[in-house]
């Protein structure tokens, strides 16, 4: 991935590669770097578990009369103490969690989606991480869409099936801004992309006879138009036929508006 990015950098300087292809090469390199870092972390944890197992064997061999030597426990990774499971001195069993240690510089975002929305999300999808505390959004990429959902009660008291989506950060927070464990963020996940798309606010659409309709302000009159709708995210809808770029539509038309009614634009 690093070699591909170097080639993409050379082609970008000569103007022979689109910016989008360069961004994809950069994203692939950053994701691959994070995967390599994760593999190194897994190796270090395995080595630590091996040391733990050997220490338990030594302790079992030396379990004779007298006072045993204290067992020194070392953290498997460098980082910060994120959570304490045992805050006071007391006997603990082998393998019992004592504290949680992590590196806040190596974070991923965990996004909860409705299962009906998670169906359209695939690993590798682009993500815009927003409302994290900074001014500009941070770029991310979907790494895992979990295969199992869970039930959660919404703020309205409705049971919802949700799915966790894990997102790797591509951009780091700017100097002076830091994210930490279990911080709150919001995310926009790109499930589809199109160029030169004619779109209309969903508030301008309504059903009539099973077809999508809208009112266009043509001069000082309302003109009823039948439109064909493609993708719809609940806020804006893709218009396949029936409208041209620049057409002015009437938002939330009341029942008193009909074809040919006089309208005034503001």
């Amino acid at each position: 991935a690093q070699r591909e990015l170097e080639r993409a950098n050379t082609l970008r300087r000569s103007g022979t590669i689109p910016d989008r292809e360069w961004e994809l090469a950069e994203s692939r390199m950053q994701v691959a770097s994070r995967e390599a870092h994760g593999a190194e972390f897994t190796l270090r944890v395995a080595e630590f578990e091996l040391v733990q197992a050997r220490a338990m064997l030594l302790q079992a061999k030396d379990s004779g009369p007298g006072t045993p030597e204290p067992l020194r426990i070392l953290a498997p990774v460098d980082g910060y103490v994120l959570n304490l499971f045992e805050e006071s001195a007391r006997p603990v069993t082998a393998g019992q969690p004592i504290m949680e240690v992590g590196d806040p510089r190596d974070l991923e975002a965990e996004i909860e989606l409705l299962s009906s929305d998670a169906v359209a999300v695939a690993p590798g999808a682009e993500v815009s991480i927003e409302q994290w505390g900074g001014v500009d959004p941070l770029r991310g990429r979907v790494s895992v869409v979990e295969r199992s959902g869970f039930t959660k009660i919404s703020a309205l008291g409705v049971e919802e099936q949700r799915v966790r989506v894990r997102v790797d950060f591509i951009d780091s927070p700017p100097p002076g801004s830091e994210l930490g464990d279990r911080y709150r963020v919001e995310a926009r996940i790109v499930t589809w992309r199109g160029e030169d798309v004619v779109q209309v606010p969903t508030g301008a659409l309504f059903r009539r006879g099973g077809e999508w309709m809208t009112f266009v302000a043509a001069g000082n009159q309302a003109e009823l138009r039948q439109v064909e709708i493609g993708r719809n995210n609940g806020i804006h809808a893709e218009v396949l036929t029936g409208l041209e770029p620049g057409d002015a539509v009437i938002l939330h038309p009341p029942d008193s508006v009909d074809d040919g009614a006089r309208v005034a634009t503001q």
Side-chain angles (χ1 to χ4, degrees):
Q2 179 65 45
R3 288 196 298 270
E4 288 180 1
L5 179 60
E6 291 173 357
R7 287 194 291 267
N9 286 333
T10 302
L11 294 174
R12 189 189 189 197
R13 286 192 294 268
S14 62
T16 57
I17 186 175
D19 289 341
R20 177 166 174 77
E21 291 188 17
W22 177 83
E23 290 174 357
L24 289 175
E26 183 192 32
S27 298
R28 283 194 293 266
M29 190 276 293
Q30 292 180 355
V31 171
S33 298
R34 290 183 179 273
E35 291 176 349
H37 181 72
E40 292 172 357
F41 175 82
T42 303
L43 175 61
R44 293 171 65 183
V45 171
E47 292 171 345
F48 172 75
E49 291 174 347
L50 177 60
V51 173
Q52 272 189 318
R54 288 174 175 167
M56 292 173 61
L57 289 174
L58 291 175
Q59 191 178 34
K61 289 181 181 178
D62 297 337
S63 59
T67 303
E69 293 185 3
L71 179 62
R72 188 182 184 191
I73 301 177
L74 300 178
V77 295
D78 296 332
Y80 295 85
V81 176
L82 304 177
N83 194 8
L84 283 176
F85 301 112
E86 299 293 340
E87 298 187 6
S88 302
R90 73 177 185 87
V92 295
T93 59
Q96 180 174 340
I98 299 175
M99 66 179 63
E100 186 178 19
V101 179
D103 185 358
R105 296 168 300 180
D106 185 20
L107 291 175
E108 67 176 7
E110 183 180 272
I111 312 300
E112 293 182 2
L113 296 181
L114 293 174
S115 58
S116 55
D117 294 332
V119 171
V121 178
E126 298 177 23
V127 181
S128 175
I129 300 169
E130 305 171 355
Q131 304 297 326
W132 59 274
V135 177
D136 298 323
L138 303 176
R139 292 183 304 158
R141 191 167 296 278
V142 173
S143 59
V144 175
V145 180
E146 294 190 354
R147 298 298 182 181
S148 177
F150 62 96
T151 302
K152 187 171 183 177
I153 307 298
S154 70
L156 299 177
V158 179
E159 286 190 356
E160 298 175 340
Q161 290 304 116
R162 301 204 177 191
V163 176
R164 291 187 179 91
V165 175
R166 303 190 181 277
V167 176
D168 288 332
F169 286 85
I170 294 177
D171 293 336
S172 299
S177 301
E178 291 186 2
L179 286 171
D181 184 45
R182 298 179 180 90
Y183 280 28
R184 176 185 175 276
V185 298
E186 294 183 4
R188 296 177 185 268
I189 302 176
V190 178
T191 57
W192 176 80
R193 180 188 297 273
E195 302 293 339
D196 299 326
V197 175
V198 178
Q199 56 182 340
V200 65
T202 54
L205 299 172
F206 58 92
R207 286 281 194 176
R208 181 173 293 183
E211 302 293 339
W212 284 110
M213 311 293 291
T214 189
F215 281 110
V216 176
N220 59 354
Q221 290 186 329
E223 179 182 323
L224 183 64
R225 295 261 190 99
Q226 178 180 333
V227 293
E228 183 181 357
I229 299 301
R231 295 177 179 268
N232 188 340
N233 66 1
I235 301 175
H236 292 89
E238 177 192 14
V239 179
L240 302 178
T241 59
L243 289 177
E244 296 295 331
D247 285 344
V249 295
I250 301 176
L251 287 174
H252 309 292
D255 295 338
S256 58
V257 176
D258 203 350
D259 191 27
R262 295 180 63 83
V263 295
T265 58
Q266 295 181 348

